């Protein structure tokens, strides 16, 4: 007998009347007085579970079927029939129920039928994919990741794996995790008594990367259109809903490109991603709209169908100063914008996504291209309604003399000789941006906590798996 | 004037006679006595460069064009014409040449026109993507990575990001990199004088992962078909052509599955990947066959069109003992096979890929399913002609009591409570395998050194970027 996913059966891909087999995990069991049990089975392929109607005539009905509960694994065979009741279009009239795995002590099964808080589920992260919410999040992640890769592949971008263990702190973006194979109990010392990192694995102090951008520029200046999609790490000791110790980042980098080209690419990419997830994950998105955030679908549709506004940072400051609204954080030229400012601009003032451009150089990284005014750099943030900044990027400083001055200003020395080389040999205007994948998942699903946007949440003092 | 990639122009996507612009880097310049220069330009989109024919009538011909050399960045405009000479079908009759970036001191430009050894190129890894070989490797990597994701997406697999910082050493597979935020110069001590890892970021000793398999099983036992495609780390202090400190791994995991199902999936996946790269990267593969390994194409075609042989480890030992060939390493039931044995089986004895199955439990990991004979486990290695083992996998031990015995045998304690949980709650037969992405790249391209299969090579004592 052929085995099918619940997705294909629920979608009507198999004709009613066919003999079918499904394999999955019981979500619920309900028994009717007429001696029939209704068992809903989920195999992860679809949001909805498939219902099996199990008659009491099965030989293991009393001994096994009536003992099934949430989490048990089963193989069910029978005839696919059109459902008489409400809900799904199809169900299985079961002729055989095989219990593959029981739940050891159902009373203490951490993921029982009842509703659990997301906070509780983080403590049983190895079991939370068995819930509706995390099944949906996982499918949305997969669809978005695949859409990212295909978006760039269709456009001829090369996927570059940049080093994860690195000697450079790309932008002083946060606390670093040290990576070492030195014997902590017996650290080698040099003649001055300092720890001798020449004895370490790479022969020098090494850390987990905070961004692949500097590295990917080397490939950009050879192959024009490239991107990274890989993990990055921040050892920020903050147990908030916005920080992850490890998270994934998408960082495209394009050659012969200005800041406007970067903004165009960001807009095109976001629209493509949102259209794809609305199209391919309609069931899961309906769940998020119903249970998590009623704007989940309309927000994506709005962004996908809006022209992104472009605005200079200086103009934004002027707007914020004159808008008459009172903000918690100060607004002044030279200060970075806070989420409340960004959301006002995108949600209230413009009512569409906004690409803010040309920030004061003092609040941006050394590699961003200095504008002719000598006080701003060609940086951009994409502000989206409902979240604020979702993408940050810039045109890079491609002029060696200007880069050298900027590096000297921020105290960077010769360790970036290879990065300088890129400007010595056939430099071109280029730029790119970064999009945090988990932040994207939060935005798409309406889930507020970033620890619910990654399969295994990691925070300070939380013992890793 | 519209800008095009060299790929689209060389492929004839634009009609001859059209005005076109290209942007890229000069590979070569040749001057004819008739006062014409031929400049080949590469933008990374295609293996072949596009030739621009530059007449001496251009106003910057003497001052700039005649000074162009390898590595300079240019924008060239002109008319796309059918090529009169041999080689490419199309070329550009240039009407404008704009030099965007010069090469600072062409005499010392590390990537000049002449042939470089791969060993040398590893020392200028930030510039090697500008060579034919590394351009081709990069495009092949991108195509294979995309094919991996699409293969699994089409089959309904979920992509799972497993933790990269971990507390568990999955299989004792190698030396670990420690990850820490402790102040090395002033390590906290507990009352016993030992280093107090409760003060560390995650509250315990943490390392970079060697495999996502144990973690991905948690998602497999909820969503049936899942895979990881992410980085893994091994701090093996061996500076060989086979080891990388960081490399990427593809690890699918399937539920309600036996070892045969895993072998089926491995065979289907490899064939799909090889067909895709032969189809989509024909130019690059032609380069590898011509310059690196004359079997590069035929080997992939052979594997893509062969039924994989399945053979028990015990049978393989018997064949190797009787074959009359003298091997460097001993052959005996209970010993692991070496590359010479694996290649003999795949290349000479069977002449096709071989899936070797059911290895002695002593030489395999604790999580592999114990067979009824009590002395072998349901492990498999896929042996491919030309390389030996390319995939390793197993059915996992899904029976809690057997797993507990195996864990006790190898001295594993309670730290894997979450892993045991998966067997307590709706366990099912399941399994999967791992394919090292860089090893795959080596196999496909014929490049021998694994440091040439990753964008930025990392080895012990090599200062990371």
């Amino acid at each position: 007998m052929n085995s099918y996913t619940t997705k294909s059966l629920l979608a009507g891909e198999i004709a009613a009347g066919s003999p079918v087999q499904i394999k999955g995990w019981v979500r619920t069991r309900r028994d009717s007085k007429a001696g029939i049990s209704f068992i809903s089975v989920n195999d992860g392929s679809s949001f909805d579970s498939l219902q099996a109607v199990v008659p009491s005539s099965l030989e293991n009905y009393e001994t096994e079927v009536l003992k099934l509960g949430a989490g048990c694994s089963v193989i069910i065979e029978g005839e696919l029939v059109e459902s008489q009741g409400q809900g799904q279009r199809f169900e299985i009239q079961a002729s055989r129920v095989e219990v593959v795995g029981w739940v050891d002590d159902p009373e203490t099964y951490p993921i029982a039928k009842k509703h659990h808080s997301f906070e509780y589920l983080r403590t049983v992260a190895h079991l939370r994919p068995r819930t509706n919410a995390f099944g949906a999040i996982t499918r949305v992640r997969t669809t978005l990741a695949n859409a990212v890769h295909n978006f760039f592949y269709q456009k001829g971008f090369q996927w570059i794996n940049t080093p994860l263990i690195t000697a450079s702190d790309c932008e002083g973006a946060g606390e670093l995790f040290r990576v070492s194979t030195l014997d902590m109990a017996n650290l080698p010392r040099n003649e001055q008594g300092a720890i001798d990192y020449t004895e370490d694995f790479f022969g020098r102090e090494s850390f987990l990367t905070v961004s692949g951008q500097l590295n990917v520029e080397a490939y950009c200046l050879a192959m024009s259109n490239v991107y990274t999609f890989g993990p990055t790490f921040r050892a920020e000791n903050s147990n908030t809903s916005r920080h992850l110790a490890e998270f994934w980042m998408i960082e495209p980098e394009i050659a012969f490109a200005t800041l406007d080209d970067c903004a165009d690419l960001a807009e095109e990419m976001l629209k493509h991603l949102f259209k794809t997830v609305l199209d391919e994950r309609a069931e899961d998105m309906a769940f998020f709209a119903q249970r998590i955030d009623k704007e989940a679908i309309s927000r994506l549709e709005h962004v996908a169908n809006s022209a992104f506004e472009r605005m200079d940072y200086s103009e934004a400051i002027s707007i914020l100063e004159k808008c008459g609204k009172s903000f918690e954080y100060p607004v002044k030229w030279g200060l970075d914008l806070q989420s409340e400012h960004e959301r006002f601009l995108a949600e209230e003032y413009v009512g569409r996504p906004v690409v803010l451009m040309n920030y004061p150089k003092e609040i941006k990284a050394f590699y961003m291209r200095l504008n002719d005014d000598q006080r701003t750099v060609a940086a951009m943030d994409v502000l989206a309604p409902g979240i604020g900044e979702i993408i940050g990027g810039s045109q890079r400083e491609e002029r060696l003399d200007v880069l050298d001055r900027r590096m000297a200003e921020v105290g960077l020395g010769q360790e970036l000789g290879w990065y300088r080389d890129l400007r010595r040999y056939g430099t071109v205007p280029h730029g790119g941006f970064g999009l945090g994948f988990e932040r994207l998942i939060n935005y798409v699903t309406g889930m507020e906590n970033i620890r619910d946007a990654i399969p295994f949440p990691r925070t300070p003092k939380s013992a890793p798996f």
Side-chain angles (χ1 to χ4, degrees), chain A residues 69 144 162 297:
Chain A
L144 283 170
T162 48
I297 291 174

Side-chain angles (χ1 to χ4, degrees), chain A residues 24-26 68-69 71-75 98-103:
Chain A
W25 289 267
V26 173
L68 285 173
C72 295
S73 50
V74 291
I75 298 175
E98 177 187 341
V99 182
V100 178
W102 292 100
V103 164

Side-chain angles (χ1 to χ4, degrees), chain A residues 87-305:
Chain A
Q88 304 308 328
R89 237 179 96 206
F90 296 98
E91 61 191 20
I92 292 181
Q93 190 65 44
S95 54
R96 181 171 167 267
V97 174
E98 177 187 341
V99 182
V100 178
W102 292 100
V103 164
D104 181 10
D105 189 12
E107 293 297 309
T108 61
Y109 179 48
I111 311 279
K113 189 187 158 189
K114 69 180 161 62
H115 183 74
H116 297 293
S117 72
F118 291 128
E119 192 163 19
Y120 166 74
L121 288 172
R122 273 172 231 134
T123 68
V124 287
H126 58 301
L127 299 173
R128 70 179 187 173
R130 302 172 179 213
T131 64
N132 280 337
F134 287 94
I137 291 166
T138 303
R139 285 184 296 271
V140 163
R141 266 185 82 94
T142 299
T143 293
L144 283 170
N146 199 254
V148 166
H149 285 298
N150 282 329
F151 173 77
F152 288 119
Y153 195 72
Q154 297 303 326
K155 296 177 82 73
F157 281 59
Q158 308 301 326
W159 180 58
I160 308 299
N161 305 85
T162 48
L164 302 175
I165 305 174
T166 177
S168 69
D169 172 7
C170 172
E171 34 185 324
E175 298 286 324
L176 300 175
F177 286 105
R178 176 189 307 283
V179 177
S180 174
T181 54
L182 294 178
D183 178 0
M184 298 278 272
N186 190 16
L187 291 168
R189 304 275 172 177
N190 61 23
E191 290 178 3
Q192 288 74 42
I195 293 163
D196 184 6
Y197 287 110
T198 64
E199 294 285 307
D200 210 344
F201 191 86
F202 289 110
R204 60 193 287 188
E205 267 196 282
S206 302
F207 306 95
L208 290 176
T209 188
V210 297
S211 163
Q213 179 212 308
L214 300 191
N215 295 108
V216 90
E217 285 185 47
Y219 275 77
C220 178
L221 292 182
M223 307 192 70
S224 303
N225 295 322
V226 299
Y227 73 110
T228 72
F229 185 0
T232 54
F233 303 85
R234 304 270 165 100
E236 287 179 79
N237 208 348
S238 47
N239 205 342
T240 76
S241 63
R242 290 289 199 90
H243 292 94
L244 283 173
E246 25 174 298
F247 58 99
W248 286 63
M249 189 118 86
I250 299 149
E251 297 182 288
E253 189 81 18
I254 51 179
F256 297 95
T258 63
L259 188 61
D260 273 320
D261 296 321
C262 298
D264 287 343
L265 183 67
E267 178 172 348
E268 185 186 352
M269 184 189 73
L270 281 181
K271 288 177 171 177
H272 174 80
L273 296 181
F274 294 167
K275 283 177 184 162
T276 303
V277 77
L278 288 169
D279 184 39
E280 298 188 13
R281 295 262 68 92
E283 262 185 42
D284 295 315
M285 289 307 300
F287 164 80
F288 292 119
Q290 199 171 14
R291 299 292 290 274
I292 305 296
D293 176 355
K294 64 181 182 351
E295 312 284 339
I297 291 174
S298 58
R299 189 169 50 225
L300 299 191
E301 287 173 339
H302 172 68
V303 172
N305 296 316

Side-chain angles (χ1 to χ4, degrees), chain A residues 388-419:
Chain A
E389 183 198 334
I390 189 165
I391 280 177
S394 73
Q395 187 173 336
R396 319 307 184 188
E397 184 54 75
E398 89 280 13
R399 298 160 297 188
L400 183 61
D401 55 335
V402 185
L403 181 71
D404 278 343
R405 280 204 304 278
R406 292 277 287 151
M407 283 170 68
E409 279 171 26
V410 299
L412 275 168
Q414 289 308 307
E415 67 269 31
L416 287 177
W418 65 269
Y419 188 70

